[in-house]
Amino acid sequence: MKLLHIFTFILGTAGLLNANSYALIQESKNDFDITLQKLLNKLEEKDMTIFAKINQAEAAKKVQKSLEPTMVVIFGNPKVGTDMMNKYPQISIDLPLKIVIFNRNQKTYVSFIQPTTLAKLHHIPEETPFIKNTQKFFDALLAEITN
């Protein structure tokens, strides 16, 4: 997990990555709280199950460390995800889906692993409806919560 934070921070300073990158990172025009609230509202609107919200800054405080606001939201749609896991059990390690919202250098960023990247990692055709639809969902979601 520590390496993921380092990786995300380094990549986050580079701005929006191209579509072939492992994780997409985009700066939000909103502050942390507004970006997070927009995300939660949109997930609720789309009837997504929110499995967990991990406040990593709070966890850092418990061990006398500091971390700028960082929240991982784990979510999904079991109706769709279960079918995908039945057909491709190896993707279970990356489902439910995750988005991280974090602050660095007084800016707020949103990051997630591209669904097309998940397809490549797990040898799943990118044309699979789950992959295509999830990519469209993430693209729209990113635009809505960062503007």
Side-chain angles (χ1 to χ4, degrees):
M1 189 65 99
K2 189 174 185 178
L3 286 176
L4 178 61
H5 288 294
I6 293 168
F7 181 69
T8 301
F9 173 73
I10 291 168
L11 292 178
T13 60
L16 180 63
L17 298 178
N18 70 43
N20 295 323
S21 298
Y22 177 77
L24 184 87
I25 301 171
Q26 181 165 325
E27 184 177 346
S28 178
K29 293 178 183 174
N30 305 300
D31 69 20
F32 179 88
D33 291 329
I34 291 172
T35 303
L36 177 61
Q37 195 57 56
K38 283 181 153 191
L39 171 64
L40 297 174
N41 290 346
K42 197 65 183 171
L43 294 176
E44 184 178 316
E45 179 184 309
K46 294 292 184 180
D47 292 324
M48 294 286 178
T49 299
I50 297 174
F51 294 100
K53 292 182 279 186
I54 303 169
N55 187 332
Q56 296 192 353
E58 285 296 318
K61 280 183 191 175
K62 291 179 183 176
V63 294
Q64 291 76 49
K65 301 272 185 178
S66 66
L67 181 66
E68 291 185 64
T70 303
M71 179 77 71
V72 176
V73 178
I74 302 172
F75 68 96
N77 180 338
K79 290 180 185 176
V80 178
T82 302
D83 292 341
M84 193 64 181
M85 290 184 284
N86 275 322
K87 188 165 184 174
Y88 301 101
Q90 69 274 24
I91 200 167
S92 299
I93 196 155
D94 285 310
L95 294 181
L97 299 165
K98 296 159 212 59
I99 291 181
V100 62
I101 298 174
F102 61 95
N103 273 7
R104 293 301 180 270
N105 303 317
Q106 300 172 349
K107 294 180 180 179
T108 299
Y109 297 90
V110 177
S111 181
F112 59 87
I113 299 171
Q114 301 265 47
T116 52
T117 299
L118 293 176
K120 289 174 190 164
L121 285 171
H122 298 294
H123 307 288
I124 298 169
E126 286 187 36
E127 306 80 41
T128 302
F130 174 86
I131 298 298
K132 287 184 358 182
N133 293 337
T134 303
Q135 187 66 53
K136 286 179 189 174
F137 171 76
F138 269 117
D139 292 343
L141 182 67
L142 186 65
E144 289 187 41
I145 68 173
T146 60
N147 287 310

